[in-house]
Structure formats: structure tokens, C-alpha cells
Amino acid sequence: MKKIAIAFLTLIFSFYSCKNKNEESKAETKKEISDLSIYNLPSKWTTQDGKDIEIKSLRGNVLVMVMIYTSCKAACPRLVADMRDIESKLEKTTKQNVKLILVSIDPKTDTPQRLKSFAIANKMNQNPWIFLRSSEENTREFAAVLAVNYKQISPMDFSHSNIISVFNPEGELIFQQEGLGVNNEKTIETINQEAAKI
């Protein structure tokens, strides 16, 4: 009888330890967002398809971000070309783990409809491309996180930094490419390495 009781207790403890291990692994997959993550930002954004999202809904992907405005005739077309060049060099096996995001610094002009038209005209209206706009306040806050400076210099024009930022799946900034038409080998390597870990 004693042996049966011991065997029964052993069985219960083994089930209990399995349950604990399962709970631990679930907790690991839902690890806390670090203080350095952009997923701490509570701001709401609208895509080119008129869909409202929070940045944290993109968690789990490598994010490649640039800030532009669609009426720009100077630097932005070059930044868009740089983003397209990056996309063309991503490894096909890991590209599904990458989101290429263009954030408007002119939300007044860049309505979802305008962003959609711009995306279609530039053949960027499909995965992995996302266009985002928000309020001016949220845009300013986001620009500060990306170290992007911008200033309205006329009713239709802004001067702004030319920076492409790469974030790991936890939303932490891991690399920045600064300038127009610069060598992007390090940027591509960083994105591919991070995306391969997912």
C-alpha cells in the first residue's frame, strides 16, 4: 500500500512539474517589453488602408523605418529608392519576418487615401510595405525616438533628417543608416541576421 501511495505521489509531482515547465515556457514567449523598446509608445497610427494600429502590433518582426512626406520633391524620393533597394537585397527566406515602414511627417496632407495612392504609384502597396500616419504630437514623439529632426519650412515643404532605422523583433533600435544613396551593405546584413533569428 505504501509503495502505491509513493508511486501515486511521484506521478502527481511529475504532472505538476510538467505543468510548471509549460507555464514557464509560455511566460518566456510573452517576455516583458524592455525600456528601450518602441513598443512602449501608446500612440495609435493609421495605415494606407485606413486601418488603425498600435506599433506594438508589429512585435515579432524586424522593422525598417524611414520618415518621409509624399509631397516631397527633394530627399524623400531618394529615401524611397533607398528603401526599395534594401527590400530588393533581403534574403527571400527571411523577408517574411521584415516590415518596411514609411512614416509620414506631414499627417495633415498625408491622409490614408493619399498614402494609398503613393504606395500604389510606387508599387509598394503589398507586403512587406506599411505606410503610417498619426497626429502631429505622436509624429513628433516618434521622430524623437528615431533621432529624426524635421521642420516645416513652407506650407508644403519640410527639412528633415535622412535616416533609415532598423529595430529588432522586440522593438529595440539596433542600427541606423544615415544619408542618401549611401552604401547599405551593413544595413542589409543587420536586417538579414536579425530576421534569420525569428
Side-chain angles (χ1 to χ4, degrees):
M1 193 72 181
K2 202 174 183 182
K3 280 183 183 171
I4 293 169
I6 290 167
F8 185 66
L9 284 172
T10 308
L11 194 65
I12 286 172
F13 279 120
S14 68
F15 275 128
Y16 183 71
S17 66
C18 283
K19 191 179 172 206
N20 272 1
K21 277 182 188 142
N22 285 344
E23 280 167 9
E24 278 168 26
S25 66
K26 275 181 194 165
E28 276 171 31
T29 56
K30 282 191 174 178
K31 67 177 179 180
E32 279 188 34
I33 292 170
S34 84
D35 292 343
L36 301 171
S37 175
I38 54 167
Y39 300 138
N40 289 307
L41 295 172
S43 48
K44 298 261 193 306
W45 297 79
T46 308
T47 70
Q48 74 267 34
D49 295 315
K51 186 179 166 194
D52 292 333
I53 66 164
E54 284 183 44
I55 298 289
K56 67 182 174 191
S57 69
L58 302 169
R59 190 179 182 186
N61 296 285
V62 175
L63 307 183
V64 185
M65 293 192 169
V66 69
M67 296 190 84
I68 63 154
Y69 63 106
T70 61
S71 55
C72 175
K73 299 284 181 279
C76 299
R78 185 67 250 195
L79 282 170
V80 169
D82 287 347
M83 287 287 279
R84 289 174 67 122
D85 189 50
I86 288 168
E87 191 244 3
S88 72
K89 292 174 181 171
L90 294 179
E91 288 173 14
K92 287 184 170 57
T93 50
T94 53
K95 200 187 216 173
Q96 67 206 22
N97 302 326
V98 179
K99 297 289 179 203
L100 296 158
I101 302 168
L102 294 95
V103 180
S104 173
I105 58 174
D106 184 14
K108 217 177 266 183
T109 306
D110 288 337
T111 61
Q113 295 81 0
R114 187 170 173 120
L115 290 175
K116 179 92 168 169
S117 299
F118 185 88
I120 291 167
N122 287 280
K123 296 184 171 60
M124 298 162 87
N125 193 40
Q126 70 285 332
N127 259 335
W129 299 101
I130 301 173
F131 287 77
L132 295 177
R133 68 176 294 284
S134 189
S135 66
E136 291 197 26
E137 187 186 343
N138 289 342
T139 306
R140 282 268 166 222
E141 181 183 43
F142 199 66
V145 171
L146 297 184
V148 169
N149 295 312
Y150 68 94
K151 185 172 74 173
Q152 191 155 10
I153 52 174
S154 78
M156 289 298 286
D157 284 312
F158 292 77
S159 68
H160 58 90
S161 312
N162 303 311
I163 298 173
I164 293 174
S165 303
V166 181
F167 292 84
N168 70 16
E170 289 304 307
E172 296 152 346
L173 183 64
I174 53 169
F175 188 76
Q176 287 191 305
Q177 172 182 307
E178 197 163 352
L180 298 170
V182 298
N183 184 316
N184 61 18
E185 274 178 34
K186 184 69 183 151
T187 310
I188 307 292
E189 186 187 328
T190 304
I191 297 165
N192 282 330
Q193 279 176 356
E194 277 301 314
K197 293 177 193 172
I198 300 171

